[in-house]
Amino acid sequence: MKALLVLLLAQLCSASLVPEREKDPEYWRRQAQETLRNALRLQHLNQNVAKNLILFLGDGMGVSTVTAARILKGQLQHGQGEESLLEMDKFPFVALAKTYNTNAQVPDSAGTATAYLCGVKANEGTLGVSAGVTRDRCNTTKGQEVTSILRWAKDAGKAVGIVTTTRVTHATPSAAYAHSANRDWYSDGEMPPDALEGGCKDIARQLVENIPDIEVILGGGRKYMYPKNVSDVEYPHEEKHRGTRLDRRNLVQAWQDAKPPGKVAEYVWHRRELLALNLSRVDFLLVKFPFHPGMWNPARQEEGRAGITPCLLSNLPGSSGGRIDHGHHEGKAKQALHEAVELDRAIGLATRLTSTQDTLSVVTADHSHVFTFGGYTPRGNPIFGLAPMQSDVDRKPFTSILYGNGPGYKIVAGERENVSAVDFAHADYQAQSAVPLRQETHGGEDVAVFARGPMAHLRGGVHEQNYIPHAMAYAACIGSNRGHCNAAARPATPLLLPFLGLLLLL
């Protein structure tokens, strides 16, 4: 009798979760017909030449993360969540990208960045080079360098930029400008003697030297730009923020000195300074924040998002980054999903500031994570909440969100931890995992590619990840494949914002 009563209550609760309009079959029929009408309108393909390109890259933003972020967004807006729409969900064309590296089934961010920025698949851990380069071996690099869509755009006379909420020298953005046998060679202080003796350059130095006329650079990693032990301007008493360079160079000064006479190059390190700039008088902008690995910092989120506005409004390219990947690696799903929602806000801002007639926007990820949510949760269940059932093996509750591996694996008194005894909704809570690891790993499944604007229809089906920049370049008539451009009697409508934006999300 007790079991029957529990079942009956569960059914009543489940019924109460269904909005009244959804009980009417006509609601779903009307919704499907509207979707069909929108799909039919897409038969009139936008074949304009894209004057502007924006690439949003959510580092670690696999399909399960996109779905969970959608629910979180809706719940933050006081809805049930499942019916919510992310800004990227509104993009009309969606494809899947295969993320494996040339030597890895489950990829890393360096090899994948080389694919979706340079159009060439590469070995894990290597940046801006072909698969002929072996990780850590400097002497395999020469002659194997590959260029990125950022370089193709510069060669075509476009303005370009990188904005990220992680360090600019991190694997994901640095494939846009660097060529390295090791993604971790942030400064010469992180390089082994044989690499220095072999003539390989650190990534921070390449940021300044390889493409010196990048109009906008915004992100973290300030310490890699300064001589070893030089105190940080913002955190002068913290050793972890001190400069790391062995060559004693000040790369911020080198960046400014490399600019042509008469050009204004501004370096700022605080959001307040950034927002105070008169961007109409700025030719080059370098914004360097410190980087706090493993720390979720809403203030830094805001700085990264704020960077998009000046990039767009100053007729310069923009790029935005996030920390989805870092949250997942630590098993902190709350941090990862809030980062994904912040990325989506940036996508919405760029959408409002541009036109689909002349701007091709692409949203994707470099790889996924072993992140999932399940447990037969009812409609509107808090995304960070418990499943409505207990395990039928150990008779303990579990959260809907779980990881395949990672630091959330815990055994208490010889058994799985009872999550009802902890604050599983806390930002620092590490969701339970099946396998104990200090850091959770990437996942190997395909990632989504969302597109809107000129030639967005070229993204459909399942593709290799290195296809992404080639299709973008084709749409913008940059790079090597331009045979269709001279005959293109399909110019875009007058530009609202003549920029090429490269938006990277880590």
Side-chain angles (χ1 to χ4, degrees), residues 200 236 284 327 411 494:
C200 283
F284 299 95
I411 297 296

Side-chain angles (χ1 to χ4, degrees), residues 434-450:
V435 176
L437 288 176
R438 289 187 177 89
Q439 289 273 299
E440 176 264 6
T441 72
H442 296 169
E445 69 269 23
D446 300 348
V447 295
V449 185
F450 304 87

Side-chain angles (χ1 to χ4, degrees), residues 107-422:
D108 92 311
S109 294
T112 52
T114 303
Y116 63 75
L117 289 175
C118 302
V120 174
K121 285 222 170 193
N123 291 329
E124 64 87 25
T126 64
L127 284 168
V129 291
S130 76
V133 174
T134 303
R135 185 171 186 170
D136 293 324
R137 292 182 57 186
C138 168
N139 61 359
T140 64
T141 306
K142 189 174 182 179
Q144 299 298 321
E145 300 88 350
V146 293
T147 57
S148 74
I149 190 170
L150 187 140
R151 164 59 76 184
W152 309 342
K154 285 306 301 181
D155 290 345
K158 299 280 189 179
V160 299
I162 301 168
V163 179
T164 174
T165 53
T166 186
R167 60 173 74 92
V168 177
T169 49
H170 187 275
T172 303
S174 62
Y177 59 84
H179 315 286
S180 180
N182 190 313
R183 57 175 287 176
D184 298 324
W185 291 349
Y186 302 124
S187 77
D188 58 349
E190 284 74 38
M191 296 177 67
D194 66 298
L196 294 173
E197 292 165 6
C200 283
K201 297 180 181 179
D202 63 87
I203 296 169
R205 180 179 171 186
Q206 292 187 62
L207 172 65
V208 173
E209 296 181 357
N210 284 7
I211 309 178
D213 52 351
I214 298 174
E215 279 79 3
V216 174
I217 302 170
L218 188 156
R222 197 160 56 210
K223 66 182 182 180
Y224 305 117
M225 309 289 284
Y226 289 99
K228 188 173 179 63
N229 291 327
V230 167
S231 296
D232 183 75
V233 63
E234 190 174 5
Y235 302 100
H237 304 299
E238 295 190 25
E239 185 176 350
K240 66 181 179 180
H241 292 305
R242 291 176 184 170
T244 65
R245 301 201 62 77
L246 301 178
D247 60 10
R248 311 300 300 171
R249 292 184 67 189
N250 179 333
L251 291 185
V252 171
Q253 188 62 52
W255 174 83
Q256 291 177 314
D257 293 343
K259 299 300 173 285
K263 296 292 184 179
V264 177
E266 291 283 357
Y267 165 68
V268 299
W269 57 269
H270 196 279
R271 179 173 181 266
R272 180 177 57 251
E273 296 176 315
L274 173 62
L275 298 179
L277 285 176
N278 183 345
L279 292 165
S280 65
R281 298 180 180 177
V282 177
D283 299 296
F284 299 95
L285 176 64
L286 173 63
V287 184
K288 292 292 284 184
F289 302 123
F291 175 72
H292 307 269
M295 186 176 77
W296 184 48
N297 189 328
R300 293 300 182 200
Q301 269 188 339
E302 183 64 28
E303 287 167 341
R305 191 170 60 249
I308 297 175
T309 303
C311 291
L312 295 177
L313 296 183
S314 64
N315 295 340
L316 290 176
S319 61
S320 169
R323 305 280 296 282
I324 303 166
D325 183 67
H326 299 150
H328 280 323
H329 277 309
E330 294 182 9
K332 298 177 180 178
K334 191 164 192 175
Q335 298 185 11
L337 295 185
H338 274 278
E339 287 286 345
V341 172
E342 289 302 313
L343 166 63
D344 199 60
R345 290 180 62 189
I347 294 168
L349 173 60
T351 297
R352 292 189 295 274
L353 292 173
T354 58
S355 167
T356 56
Q357 293 303 303
D358 55 53
T359 301
L360 171 63
S361 299
V362 175
V363 181
T364 189
D366 49 352
H367 54 73
S368 184
H369 278 266
V370 291
F371 161 85
T372 188
F373 67 101
Y376 300 115
T377 47
R379 178 79 175 269
N381 198 70
I383 191 63
F384 302 117
L386 293 173
M389 57 191 291
Q390 292 184 346
S391 165
D392 57 5
V393 176
D394 64 12
R395 304 300 174 184
K396 289 185 173 66
F398 60 95
T399 56
S400 172
I401 285 175
L402 297 166
Y403 285 94
N405 57 51
Y409 179 94
K410 290 180 182 176
I411 297 296
V412 178
E415 297 181 345
R416 181 173 67 91
E417 182 181 46
N418 190 331
V419 295
S420 62
V422 299

Side-chain angles (χ1 to χ4, degrees), residues 10 55 92 309 406 482:
L55 174 61
T309 303
R482 294 180 300 201

Side-chain angles (χ1 to χ4, degrees), residues 5-188:
L5 178 61
V6 171
L7 178 60
L8 179 60
L9 287 173
Q11 289 175 332
L12 289 172
C13 289
S14 178
S16 68
L17 296 174
V18 181
E20 282 301 314
R21 66 179 183 178
E22 295 185 12
K23 297 177 182 178
D24 181 359
E26 281 304 310
Y27 167 78
W28 297 107
R29 293 175 184 135
R30 287 193 300 269
Q31 184 203 61
Q33 288 300 315
E34 179 60 26
T35 302
L36 177 59
R37 285 191 291 272
N38 290 336
L40 290 170
R41 281 194 283 270
L42 295 179
Q43 291 184 104
H44 304 288
L45 300 178
N46 180 347
Q47 299 187 66
N48 294 345
V49 173
K51 298 299 178 67
N52 315 314
L53 301 177
I54 308 176
L55 174 61
F56 290 93
L57 194 286
D59 197 322
M61 190 177 69
V63 172
S64 58
T65 298
V66 172
T67 307
R70 178 189 305 128
I71 294 172
L72 173 59
K73 177 182 178 180
Q75 293 181 350
L76 289 172
Q77 296 172 344
H78 310 293
Q80 291 176 305
E82 297 84 2
E83 72 289 345
S84 160
L85 281 177
L86 293 168
E87 295 296 332
M88 66 186 86
D89 291 336
K90 301 172 188 176
F91 283 33
F93 295 95
V94 183
L96 292 175
K98 296 155 64 176
T99 62
Y100 68 92
N101 296 149
T102 46
N103 66 340
Q105 185 179 76
V106 177
D108 92 311
S109 294
T112 52
T114 303
Y116 63 75
L117 289 175
C118 302
V120 174
K121 285 222 170 193
N123 291 329
E124 64 87 25
T126 64
L127 284 168
V129 291
S130 76
V133 174
T134 303
R135 185 171 186 170
D136 293 324
R137 292 182 57 186
C138 168
N139 61 359
T140 64
T141 306
K142 189 174 182 179
Q144 299 298 321
E145 300 88 350
V146 293
T147 57
S148 74
I149 190 170
L150 187 140
R151 164 59 76 184
W152 309 342
K154 285 306 301 181
D155 290 345
K158 299 280 189 179
V160 299
I162 301 168
V163 179
T164 174
T165 53
T166 186
R167 60 173 74 92
V168 177
T169 49
H170 187 275
T172 303
S174 62
Y177 59 84
H179 315 286
S180 180
N182 190 313
R183 57 175 287 176
D184 298 324
W185 291 349
Y186 302 124
S187 77
D188 58 349

